[in-house]
Amino acid sequence: METGGAMSVVVAGMVTGLSLIVAIGAQNVFVLRQGLRREHVGAVVLVCAASDTVLIAAGVAGVGSLVVQAPALVALARWGGAAFLTAYGLLAARRAWVGGRLEVDDRGAPASRWAVVATAAALTWLNPHVYLDTVLLLGSVGSSYGGDRWLFAIGAVAGSWAWFLGLGYGARTLRPVFSRPGAWRVLDAGIAVVMLVIAVSLVRHA
């Protein structure tokens, strides 16, 4: 394949991957919040982007077809994800209601690295949309490129890393906004709504 043709496949993978990743979801709002707090941002970005890399590769390799044939696993992920998102959403709602010290640097006690990593991993791997979208849908689109499907996967992976790096480390540009009283409460209220809406949608489609 010519260089131009190969690049077009990579770009297609990047655009398709970003279209699925760039959305207001549980994972993205968590990355945004950690970026604003400047708390273990590198670890969060690494977990999210590395997980996407594994899932994209699995989908392009054909694992998506296996997921469809295992409805019990999809159901388990759906209910487990709904329970986790509900709990996290209620915690965010409590933060929004209670308020407290709202300075960006010290809003609440800092979380441990392992707690943050565990939360990022749970928001990624307990989300059934990850398997239905990233593995199944993205894998199906990638497979349509035949022998060039791994070029498509490279583009999708590159888009994922670019997004999470930009979201995590770019969030600091919003720090002046979140230094104002009430801004964190608004963010936490938004996080609560997103988490709970996604949890309800998972249960409704169970």
Side-chain angles (χ1 to χ4, degrees), residues 46-59:
L46 179 61
V47 168
C48 294
S51 296
D52 256 16
T53 300
V54 172
L55 291 165
I56 291 169

Side-chain angles (χ1 to χ4, degrees), residues 21-195:
I21 298 170
V22 181
I24 300 176
Q27 186 186 56
N28 283 337
V29 294
F30 181 73
V31 175
L32 175 63
R33 189 172 191 277
Q34 293 306 119
L36 288 169
R37 288 173 60 94
R38 292 188 177 181
E39 185 178 69
H40 310 307
V41 179
V44 171
V45 169
L46 179 61
V47 168
C48 294
S51 296
D52 256 16
T53 300
V54 172
L55 291 165
I56 291 169
V60 173
V63 176
S65 60
L66 298 179
V67 174
V68 175
Q69 298 172 16
L73 293 178
V74 176
L76 179 62
R78 188 183 299 278
W79 285 100
F84 179 83
L85 291 173
T86 298
Y88 194 89
L90 292 175
L91 288 175
R94 180 180 181 279
R95 290 196 304 266
W97 178 263
V98 173
R101 300 190 62 183
L102 299 175
E103 291 80 357
V104 173
D105 286 333
D106 62 348
R107 186 181 188 277
S112 70
R113 181 182 300 274
W114 289 113
V116 169
V117 166
T119 301
L123 289 172
T124 300
W125 293 94
L126 290 180
N127 180 7
H129 290 299
V130 166
Y131 305 98
L132 299 177
D133 292 345
T134 306
V135 177
L136 181 59
L137 180 57
L138 198 61
S140 298
V141 175
S143 297
S144 68
Y145 284 88
D148 298 322
R149 65 185 184 278
W150 290 111
L151 291 174
F152 179 90
I154 289 172
V157 169
S160 174
W161 280 87
W163 169 252
F164 286 118
L165 285 168
L167 184 63
Y169 289 101
R172 64 187 59 187
T173 62
L174 298 175
R175 285 169 60 84
V177 174
F178 285 90
S179 65
R180 298 202 300 264
W184 273 106
R185 300 184 74 167
V186 172
L187 177 64
D188 280 327
I191 291 174
V193 170
V194 169
M195 300 292 181

